[in-house]
Amino acid sequence: MTESRNLDFLRSVAVLLVLVDHLFMAAGLANRFPVVYDMGRLGVLMFFVHTSLVLMLSLERSEEQNSGDFFRGFYIRRAFRIYPLSIACVLLACAFGVPQTPGGAPAARSAFQIIASLLLVQNVAGQLSVISPMWSLPLEVQMYIALPFLFLFAKRHSIADLLKVGCAAVLIGLTFDRALSMHLVRGLGRLDILEVAPCFVAGVMSYRLSKNRTPALSSWLWPVAVSSIMAIYLLLQTVFPDPVDRYPAYRGWLVCWILGALIPQFRDMRLRWLRTASHYVAKYSYGIYLGQVPALWIGFTVWPQTAAFSWIVSILLLAGIAVASYHAIEHPGILLGKLVTGRSKTKSSRVAALVADA
């Protein structure tokens, strides 16, 4: 599963769902087609499952390499993976007056808001993100803290034990939602990581299910399964809207757990064109995710022409931003993270050798 094209496809679908949401927002069509808001939300939930599963596989590789700095190496690599591009995005958005949301007007940003976005602690700080897609990044960063511990737990315990952890996360999430709706604790919303934790646990359970298991379902059914999950979630949101919460957490958890259970069941996709397309969209997905607001701002606001022109320019510009940001910032950051952890491992080995000689 390490080089799974199925996971590339899932990541591609997730980022494209968010892109559709923001395209409609920038074009002023989102209120006419409110389902696009649900598409954007679903895309982020899929990201959470994908991220935790992929990081489980990354932690497995680190353990197999007998890295002496298992936890430290993981945190360093993740920091160099997520922060360089997000920091560049925040600084450029502030410098050029990019609006916070697609189709929105430029707004003044406080120093505290900017610092919170630079550190990716907006939720805990109670601040809006400099650009709206960044709202999910603090949740990922906060979940990084727990993932190595969840990996070790998953390696040493049964799926039944891991399911108990998942149920505990759901109970905590339900308690959090209830307390939040009743306004029992001031500022409780800053702990929204508790609401999405079951989504990340779904990825951990997917990893555990994949161990010692040979996928039995045909590869062509994987896109069908993902499409079905999307259809079920969007149908529930459209036909049976929750009267209290626009995005009820329990529906997101259900979708994520179904997705996590299904991922290990399918053989890898064979269609070459779909594999190739998924690979490139997934490769540049972080740049696509963060580059949407500035690209759509330029296409729909800075250079307003015909509707078709705005859509085409925005998509082409976003593709350029995604590719350029990956090669100029994101990939060098990944390499630098590996270099730092590599040097740390070498240094630790030398110290261990000196201690042994002594």
Side-chain angles (χ1 to χ4, degrees):
M1 190 183 289
T2 303
E3 301 296 333
S4 172
R5 295 298 179 238
N6 289 0
L7 293 181
D8 281 349
F9 178 77
L10 177 61
R11 188 173 181 87
S12 300
V13 169
V15 75
L16 291 178
L17 285 172
V18 178
L19 176 58
V20 170
D21 176 13
H22 289 160
L23 273 168
F24 275 69
M25 290 176 63
L29 300 173
N31 290 334
R32 292 171 55 187
F33 304 96
V35 70
V36 298
Y37 294 121
D38 300 309
M39 294 172 69
R41 180 75 176 187
L42 177 59
V44 174
L45 296 179
M46 287 179 166
F47 264 124
F48 290 158
V49 179
H50 174 278
T51 296
S52 58
L53 172 55
V54 168
L55 292 182
M56 289 297 103
L57 297 170
S58 175
L59 286 164
E60 182 179 63
R61 291 194 299 272
S62 296
E63 187 184 52
E64 290 173 351
Q65 293 168 2
N66 297 318
S67 175
D69 55 353
F70 179 76
F71 286 88
R72 182 170 178 269
F74 172 78
Y75 296 136
I76 289 174
R77 287 193 300 273
R78 295 317 301 169
F80 278 99
R81 175 69 174 82
I82 198 169
Y83 275 99
L85 188 54
S86 68
I87 289 173
C89 186
V90 169
L91 296 178
L92 290 172
C94 293
F96 290 97
V98 177
Q100 198 259 344
T101 58
R109 298 177 171 107
S110 68
F112 189 34
Q113 179 186 7
I114 295 171
I115 293 172
S117 290
L118 288 172
L119 297 176
L120 297 182
V121 293
Q122 306 96 288
N123 60 337
V124 177
Q127 297 292 309
L128 288 174
S129 300
V130 166
I131 58 169
S132 59
M134 291 184 66
W135 74 268
S136 66
L137 299 187
L139 300 174
E140 289 206 16
V141 170
Q142 289 150 26
M143 200 61 199
Y144 291 164
I145 298 172
L147 284 179
F149 298 96
L150 288 173
F151 167 77
L152 294 176
F153 185 90
K155 289 279 288 185
R156 298 170 184 175
H157 294 80
S158 67
I159 187 63
D161 292 330
L162 190 56
L163 185 60
K164 294 176 184 177
V165 173
C167 290
V170 168
L171 289 175
I172 293 172
L174 289 172
T175 304
F176 169 82
D177 268 0
R178 180 64 174 170
L180 192 64
S181 65
M182 297 177 64
H183 307 285
L184 294 179
V185 181
R186 184 179 179 181
L188 185 62
R190 300 184 182 195
L191 299 178
D192 53 349
I193 181 62
L194 299 177
E195 187 175 72
V196 299
C199 302
F200 287 97
V201 174
V204 180
M205 289 193 290
S206 184
Y207 164 76
R208 184 63 182 82
L209 284 170
S210 69
K211 307 313 296 177
N212 303 319
R213 177 185 295 270
T214 301
L217 298 180
S218 177
S219 60
W220 67 269
L221 288 173
W222 172 237
V224 175
V226 174
S227 301
S228 299
I229 290 173
M230 291 166 49
I232 292 171
Y233 179 81
L234 297 177
L235 185 65
L236 285 173
Q237 288 291 94
T238 304
V239 180
F240 304 103
D242 190 284
V244 178
D245 192 349
R246 179 71 177 83
Y247 304 110
Y250 64 88
R251 289 183 180 174
W253 301 338
L254 177 63
V255 167
C256 289
W257 282 36
I258 292 174
L259 180 62
L262 287 178
I263 290 173
Q265 314 303 327
F266 295 88
R267 293 193 288 270
D268 226 16
M269 295 189 307
R270 295 182 179 180
L271 287 176
R272 180 172 296 180
W273 68 269
L274 189 56
R275 288 164 59 104
T276 302
S278 298
H279 169 73
Y280 282 107
V281 174
K283 179 178 180 178
Y284 299 117
S285 59
Y286 191 29
I288 295 173
Y289 188 72
L290 290 183
Q292 293 173 76
V293 174
L296 297 176
W297 172 62
I298 294 173
F300 284 90
T301 304
V302 177
W303 292 339
Q305 301 291 332
T306 63
F309 178 86
S310 294
W311 282 69
I312 293 171
V313 167
S314 297
I315 293 173
L316 292 177
L317 184 59
L318 177 57
I321 290 174
V323 173
S325 62
Y326 176 83
H327 292 287
I329 301 174
E330 184 181 350
H331 190 241
I334 294 171
L335 295 179
L336 185 57
K338 291 180 179 180
L339 179 63
V340 171
T341 53
R343 287 182 175 178
S344 175
K345 181 179 178 181
T346 301
K347 183 177 180 180
S348 299
S349 298
R350 290 176 178 174
V351 171
L354 289 173
V355 171
D357 290 340

